[in-house]
Amino acid sequence: TSQQQAVELYERAVALDPQFALAYAKLAYVHIQIRDNSIDRTPERLARARAAAERALRLAPALPEAHNALGRYFLSLPQPPIDSAEAAFRAAERLQPNDADVMGFLARVLEIRDRWDDALALLQKAAELDPRSPWTHSRLAVAYFVRHDASSAMDPLARWIAVNPDEPTPYMWRATATF
């Protein structure tokens, strides 16, 4: 798969330069994606993600992607330590305040904490910063649906369709909301 190829390339990059913190952070991201996409849900996959994220942080404590990687690792755990995930994403946010990706994951933490209004505000800002992110638009639509505001969900669904017209999920959600 392309994700496995990414793992191989990042592993090759850190073998060539063991001080390449960003490559370690990106390696952690890919391990987490592989796990979250149910390709490999083994404890070893999570361990590899954690090791890469922690190595990135040791090498570059001021690297926002390293904090983001650690936060993503925490969210991927079967029982995520929400305080630890939030702390990691808040650190990434302080280092890179206009990162839509970090905002989206921080919003996920706020959703878990049942702070949907705060999550919605972050997702709206993330969608402004990265209008081509289908993930952000899907999270924004979910936040509106949870608030029982299907009419407001239509705009993020339309944007999701515009950037990813072959994905069936937003069409199904839009159809469901019209009933």
Side-chain angles (χ1 to χ4, degrees):
T1 70
S2 61
Q3 290 173 329
Q4 187 54 44
Q5 289 172 324
V7 166
E8 292 167 10
L9 291 171
Y10 284 125
E11 286 177 344
R12 196 162 84 201
V14 298
L16 292 170
D17 182 359
Q19 304 302 309
F20 194 177
L22 182 59
Y24 279 107
K26 298 291 186 170
L27 178 59
Y29 291 177
V30 177
H31 282 307
I32 293 162
Q33 284 178 329
I34 289 170
R35 189 228 180 257
D36 288 350
N37 291 337
S38 298
I39 296 166
D40 177 359
R41 297 188 62 82
T42 63
E44 293 80 21
R45 181 65 62 183
L46 278 175
R48 291 172 74 187
R50 182 179 187 151
E54 288 176 344
R55 174 77 178 185
L57 270 174
R58 277 194 308 278
L59 290 170
L63 182 68
E65 292 88 351
H67 292 278
N68 189 2
L70 188 61
R72 288 182 183 195
Y73 162 76
F74 288 133
L75 280 184
S76 290
L77 294 173
Q79 303 231 326
I82 298 305
D83 289 341
S84 298
E86 183 170 1
F89 292 128
R90 294 283 182 198
E93 180 184 46
R94 279 190 299 280
L95 293 164
Q96 198 164 18
N98 287 322
D99 186 315
D101 193 44
V102 170
M103 287 178 193
F105 282 103
L106 185 53
R108 181 69 191 115
V109 167
L110 296 173
E111 291 167 357
I112 291 168
R113 292 188 182 280
D114 204 26
R115 292 177 46 196
W116 288 92
D117 290 343
D118 296 332
L120 180 64
L122 264 179
L123 289 167
Q124 288 169 332
K125 185 173 180 186
E128 289 172 19
L129 291 169
D130 187 3
R132 300 217 25 95
S133 169
W135 186 79
T136 301
H137 295 306
S138 70
R139 296 300 324 142
L140 188 53
V142 167
Y144 283 123
F145 281 126
V146 166
R147 295 167 51 105
H148 305 288
D149 186 358
S151 64
S152 293
M154 293 302 115
D155 181 57
L157 288 174
R159 290 174 187 233
W160 185 6
I161 290 167
V163 298
N164 198 355
D166 295 331
E167 168 66 37
T169 307
Y171 296 100
M172 291 184 293
W173 286 7
R174 189 169 64 182
T176 302
T178 59
F179 290 103

